[in-house]
Structures are given as C-alpha cells and as structure tokens.
Amino acid sequence: MTPSNPCVAPISTLVVDDEPLARRNLTLLLRHDPDIGSIEECASGAAAVEAIRHRKPDLVFLDVQMPECGGFDVLELLGADLPQTIIFVTAHDEHALRAFEAGAFDYLLKPFDDARFMRALTRAKEKIAHYASHRQTPRRVVVRSPGRLLFVDVSDIDWVEAASYYACLHVGRETHVIRRTLLELERDLGDTFIRIHRSTIVNLERVRGLELQSSGEYAVVLRTGVELPVSRRYRKPLHERFG
C-alpha cells in the first residue's frame, strides 16, 4: 500500500455504479488506503450528477453502463462541473477510447485485480497531489477597466453574481464586473465561498444568518442587509456548512 502523504488533505471519493456488489468491492479497496477520506456511493447517473455538483469530490469511479443515465451522460450533464479526476469502470473495452476523449483519467475493465486497481489509484493520487500543491487561493482579484487597474481583496467580497461570461463582484456598495465565469471563481476563491443559487456564490464570512421567507424558501442575509435567495438544490450543502 502506498504510504500516506501528510501534506495532502484526505481525498474525497465518489463510487458510481448501479450494481451494489460492484460499489461494495470498490469501497472496500478504497478503505484500505490511508489517503482516502470520505467515500460516498451513488446507484445511478442522476444521483451522481447531484452528488458531484454538491460535494465536489476529488476522485470519481464512474460506471459507463447504467440504466437511463450512463457514465457518458453524467459527463455531458455536468458540463464544466467535471471533477478533476475520473476513473471509468466498465465490462466493455470498446468504450475506452471514448472515455479518454471525454476526459477520463484512467479506465478499469471489469473484472480487474487488486494490482490493476492500485496502479490506477496511485496515479490518480499523484495527479490530485500535484493539483493541490499548485493551487493557491488568491488574496486579491484584479478588476480591469480602460485606463484603470483595481485590486479587490477577496475577504472584502460579499457575494458574486453570474452575468453570462462575466461576473459581478459585490463589495459593500460597489459592484465590479470582471470577465470570469462563476464556476471559475467558485473554484479559485476557496472554501470561504459557497454556491447558494446557480447564479450566486456568497462569502460565508459576510453572512449574518439565514431567514425563512413567507414562501417557505430560505434567504441568506448578509451583513450589509442584502438578502439572497437560496435554491433548493443548494440548501442542504449550505445548512451543512453552518452545522
């Protein structure tokens, strides 16, 4: 077994397969590795899409052939929300080329032995460790405009709003428009920011509380008094962040 690397955070993993035995076998193998942290399971492609969007796992083992929503369907539905490392698992080798073209990191052909699994896992861990070592949360965001260059401290940003291929940074009473997508900013700004709506991410340090509206939906209340709606899709992850 590859020794644990203390410099790398535990790797969050998702196992997706419609066969319970197949999921159990992968989960048992993963639990023997000290670098693996949380392990979740999904029995369908639709459930996998939701889990990946909400949990953002580091590593996904994805079955190709599943009823209604297979592995390739999952990738298509996720779009730009793809996890950084995907290992396809299937009993049919004819899908291999398409899997790599779709962005798969590796390909496990059933039935595979422990040695083949460990080779795939070791390579995946190396990639994740390399990605983590080169990724740093920026302290400032650069806002460019004609004849002007402004540096906005990340900690001062209250919330960010999507505007097509642009994003609006709301900083107190000021709003700055930058040519970045919401997904890019969500990845780059770090764990202090969380998505509460498909077009909104908020700085948790700027949140005063949650408020139940008359409609039965929740709204995030910022220190500035601004209230932002929380969509049902992102309600559970938000509640979990607040304990």
Side-chain angles (χ1 to χ4, degrees), residues 61-80:
F61 288 86
L62 181 61
D63 187 23
V64 171
Q65 291 188 310
M66 293 181 288
E68 297 182 5
C69 184
F72 294 113
D73 298 317
V74 169
L75 299 192
E76 184 176 349
L77 289 170
L78 285 171

Side-chain angles (χ1 to χ4, degrees), residues 8-16 26-27 29-31 33-42 48 51-53 55-63 74-75 78 81-89 103-108 116-129 131 135:
V8 179
I11 297 171
S12 59
T13 308
L14 180 67
V15 176
V16 185
L26 279 170
T27 299
L29 288 169
L30 288 165
R31 284 178 179 163
D33 193 292
D35 291 324
I36 300 298
S38 63
I39 304 173
E40 295 190 48
E41 297 182 14
C42 286
I52 291 170
R53 283 176 173 164
R55 307 295 185 186
K56 295 181 171 53
D58 302 309
L59 174 61
V60 176
F61 288 86
L62 181 61
D63 187 23
V74 169
L75 299 192
L78 285 171
D81 291 333
L82 289 177
Q84 59 177 285
T85 309
I86 302 171
I87 297 177
F88 265 110
V89 184
F105 175 73
D106 207 337
Y107 188 96
L108 288 176
R116 175 65 183 93
F117 171 83
M118 284 308 306
R119 287 198 299 274
L121 180 59
T122 299
R123 291 181 61 242
K125 287 164 53 179
E126 290 171 350
K127 177 188 175 184
I128 292 168
Y131 179 84
R135 180 179 178 181

